[in-house]
Amino acid sequence: MADFSLHPAFPASSHAVGELALCHVRLHDDARYPWLVLIPRADGLVEIEDLSPEGRAALTEEAVAASAAVRAVAKVLGLAIDKLNLGALGNVTPQLHVHVLGRRAGDPAWPGPVWGHSAGVPYPEEVRAAAIAAAREALGL
């Protein structure tokens, strides 16, 4: 993939996990939810339709792989996952990205959406390192 510019909102709210074939992967900095963000590495992408058909297929496969990584992060956090949520909102951060997050009955936003619900709870450094390591292992990075 070509070099790309990461929107400033991502480093402010997440931590790098690694690089898949299409996407840069980040751990969203809210320890209440096992949550990864996939960002296709090409400038100018806003909508999924901006990807080629092959890119859309790759994004889908990487979201499936990220689902396993989210489950690995949940294990580090000692959290159950009742439902995996995928979202490509982009209302605040227009750069194309897909959220993959694990939800559970009784989580702070359940059953509503997590976006805009409440302020995040940053990861303690040692837990963040373990979560990133678990995600990397699950993704084969």
Side-chain angles (χ1 to χ4, degrees):
M1 293 294 309
D3 288 334
F4 80 114
S5 302
L6 192 62
H7 189 283
F10 294 116
S13 62
S14 61
H15 305 278
V17 171
E19 308 297 328
L20 298 173
L22 176 68
C23 293
H24 174 67
V25 182
R26 301 189 67 85
L27 175 71
H28 188 72
D29 196 15
D30 190 341
R32 301 173 301 171
Y33 309 97
W35 186 342
L36 295 176
V37 182
L38 304 176
I39 307 157
R41 292 188 320 273
D43 280 331
L45 300 176
V46 176
E47 305 294 348
I48 289 175
E49 67 190 2
D50 295 338
L51 290 168
S52 67
E54 296 79 15
R56 291 191 295 270
L59 181 58
T60 299
E61 291 304 316
E62 290 184 6
V64 171
S67 298
V70 163
R71 291 183 189 283
V73 170
K75 188 173 180 180
V76 167
L77 296 172
L79 299 174
I81 292 181
D82 296 324
K83 180 71 176 98
L84 284 167
N85 287 183
L86 296 176
L89 305 174
N91 296 345
V92 174
T93 306
Q95 183 175 18
L96 177 60
H97 62 286
V98 174
H99 299 268
V100 182
L101 66 138
R103 300 293 308 278
R104 66 194 179 286
D107 74 31
W110 187 267
V114 297
W115 295 276
H117 177 269
S118 56
V121 175
Y123 276 87
E125 186 176 337
E126 65 282 355
V127 177
R128 180 181 72 232
I132 289 171
R136 288 181 57 80
E137 182 177 351
L139 291 167
L141 300 175

